[in-house]
Amino acid sequence: MQPSNDVTKAAQFWSEESARQGTRAERMFVWDVGGEIDRHVLQTITGDPNLGWLEYTLQTHFAGRVPLERCLSLGCGAGHFERDLAALGAFQSCDAYDVAPASIETARRLAAESGYNHIQYHVADINRIELPANTYDAVWIKSAMHHFAGLEHVCEQIAQALKPDGLLIIFEYVGPNRFQFPERQKEIINATLKLLPRQYRRIAPQSTRFALERSPARAGAKQFVSRVVDKLRDGDLIGVLRRRLQAYRTLASGVDMIKETERFPTVRDMLAIDPSEAVRSADILPVIDRYFEIVEKKDWGGNITLFLLSGIAGNFDEDDPRAQALLRMVIQIEQTLIAAGEFQSDSVYVVARSRQ
């Protein structure tokens, strides 16, 4: 069966992304910059800001069973997660799958360089994956399940592939599909952004340059025309032209841009860049509940931080006490509003057992 156009586009996108992963520049793009963010996530999940959630999971849910005989990782990307597990001595053997060939190639190379010959990497469309029955002690999905359109099929396959005492572990974004946040959440993100001093809203030159490199004009005439039409429909064509002109001027002048507001993607934006991104994220927990019994669930937020820190994350150096104090402020705002019922947590840690 041939992969769909969306799967092909997603595979191409993540193959290109794998070339950037792990560089210092990449830390200017991601929102989880370490420091207070990491401590908050770990405190929420493990109860100890210095205890990693992998270690916690192995100690709490697999006590006396490590190394596990066989594990599975879905949506493995360039293999950072499996190498972290291997470094902990978590398994005797691990199968790992991803849709992007370049990511799998990188994962194989880095695993070999680290001497981890007990990890087997495979290219596959996980939406159509067929797994062997009664095989795995643990199935791990780290920040990848929100890319799976075929949630029911994937969960059904995982449920029958787990051993009777096997567990599914996810660390995942479960917020609105395709990041189509309610207006109230957008307002809160931008209001919180304005609280940050100017120097912490500096947009990294790498981020500006990368945005320009993603120009649809470089993808051919058909893609360019398609995106122009999309922007006309969204009423944002003039805005795009203005932002690009400003970006070119900023790079030419050598003066950093300042993030004044967060511009949220439309559905058409998401489809044009990566059709798999948050494709059914809001359905993850309901579908899991259909096939699995929840053993443990921890909500750790991300509702504000995910987009607020996009493009400016690298400004929050772990050795800068003022930067870390600002992150604590943002986290406190986020957690207070979640506790008040303003919105549900967009990110979770879940451990579950099959209902089969």
Side-chain angles (χ1 to χ4, degrees), residues 117-139:
N117 57 11
H118 55 327
I119 309 176
Q120 296 78 43
Y121 286 103
H122 311 275
V123 177
D125 176 2
I126 294 167
N127 293 304
R128 305 181 183 188
I129 200 166
E130 299 290 333
L131 298 173
N134 193 28
T135 299
Y136 297 107
D137 299 282
V139 175

Side-chain angles (χ1 to χ4, degrees), residues 88-151:
L88 294 171
F91 52 76
Q92 297 176 31
S93 176
C94 180
D95 297 322
Y97 294 83
D98 196 87
V99 72
S103 296
I104 291 296
E105 182 180 341
T106 299
R108 287 171 176 163
R109 174 177 57 80
L110 293 176
E113 290 175 0
S114 300
Y116 297 142
N117 57 11
H118 55 327
I119 309 176
Q120 296 78 43
Y121 286 103
H122 311 275
V123 177
D125 176 2
I126 294 167
N127 293 304
R128 305 181 183 188
I129 200 166
E130 299 290 333
L131 298 173
N134 193 28
T135 299
Y136 297 107
D137 299 282
V139 175
W140 307 81
I141 307 177
K142 180 180 184 293
S143 303
M145 201 168 194
H146 65 278
H147 289 280
F148 304 162
L151 290 173

Side-chain angles (χ1 to χ4, degrees), residues 173-194:
Y173 169 78
V174 294
N177 294 347
R178 302 196 189 281
F179 301 141
Q180 298 305 293
F181 302 112
E183 289 303 316
R184 175 64 172 160
Q185 188 168 345
K186 295 178 185 179
E187 291 171 2
I188 291 171
I189 291 170
N190 275 314
T192 307
L193 175 65
K194 294 186 189 319

Side-chain angles (χ1 to χ4, degrees), residues 50-65:
N50 299 307
L51 177 62
W53 68 270
L54 293 183
E55 293 93 328
Y56 168 81
T57 305
L58 295 172
Q59 293 170 13
T60 304
H61 297 287
F62 297 102
R65 296 172 57 188

Side-chain angles (χ1 to χ4, degrees), residues 15 28 82 92 114 119 126 152 165 173 261 288 322 325 336:
S15 286
M28 306 298 280
E82 299 76 47
Q92 297 176 31
S114 300
I119 309 176
I126 294 167
E152 291 80 5
D165 57 352
Y173 169 78
T261 186
I288 282 180
R322 289 177 296 181
T336 300

Side-chain angles (χ1 to χ4, degrees), residues 20-243:
R20 295 194 305 117
Q21 299 297 315
T23 65
R24 169 60 187 163
E26 176 65 13
R27 287 181 63 80
M28 306 298 280
F29 298 100
V30 297
W31 72 273
D32 51 337
V33 293
E36 289 301 321
I37 297 289
D38 277 356
R39 282 188 280 276
H40 158 65
V41 173
L42 296 182
Q43 177 68 48
T44 303
I45 295 175
T46 74
D48 181 346
N50 299 307
L51 177 62
W53 68 270
L54 293 183
E55 293 93 328
Y56 168 81
T57 305
L58 295 172
Q59 293 170 13
T60 304
H61 297 287
F62 297 102
R65 296 172 57 188
V66 177
L68 300 171
E69 182 180 3
R70 195 169 178 186
C71 287
L72 172 67
S73 175
L74 297 178
C76 64
H80 301 284
F81 180 70
E82 299 76 47
R83 293 193 300 278
D84 286 345
L85 280 172
L88 294 171
F91 52 76
Q92 297 176 31
S93 176
C94 180
D95 297 322
Y97 294 83
D98 196 87
V99 72
S103 296
I104 291 296
E105 182 180 341
T106 299
R108 287 171 176 163
R109 174 177 57 80
L110 293 176
E113 290 175 0
S114 300
Y116 297 142
N117 57 11
H118 55 327
I119 309 176
Q120 296 78 43
Y121 286 103
H122 311 275
V123 177
D125 176 2
I126 294 167
N127 293 304
R128 305 181 183 188
I129 200 166
E130 299 290 333
L131 298 173
N134 193 28
T135 299
Y136 297 107
D137 299 282
V139 175
W140 307 81
I141 307 177
K142 180 180 184 293
S143 303
M145 201 168 194
H146 65 278
H147 289 280
F148 304 162
L151 290 173
E152 291 80 5
H153 174 75
V154 173
C155 285
E156 181 180 47
Q157 286 296 305
I158 294 172
Q160 61 86 35
L162 285 168
K163 294 177 181 178
D165 57 352
L167 294 172
L168 166 67
I169 305 97
I170 71 167
F171 180 91
E172 194 58 69
Y173 169 78
V174 294
N177 294 347
R178 302 196 189 281
F179 301 141
Q180 298 305 293
F181 302 112
E183 289 303 316
R184 175 64 172 160
Q185 188 168 345
K186 295 178 185 179
E187 291 171 2
I188 291 171
I189 291 170
N190 275 314
T192 307
L193 175 65
K194 294 186 189 319
L195 294 176
L196 299 178
R198 183 181 178 85
Q199 66 266 36
Y200 294 101
R201 290 185 283 116
R202 179 182 63 86
I203 298 176
Q206 297 98 320
S207 184
T208 302
R209 192 173 297 110
F210 178 66
L212 293 174
E213 289 172 355
R214 275 184 169 172
S215 169
R218 301 189 179 202
K222 184 177 180 180
Q223 177 70 6
F224 177 74
V225 171
S226 176
R227 290 300 286 145
V228 168
V229 171
D230 284 348
K231 289 293 134 186
L232 280 170
R233 290 174 176 172
D234 292 335
D236 191 37
L237 182 58
I238 299 301
V240 168
L241 294 175
R242 285 175 176 167
R243 289 192 295 272

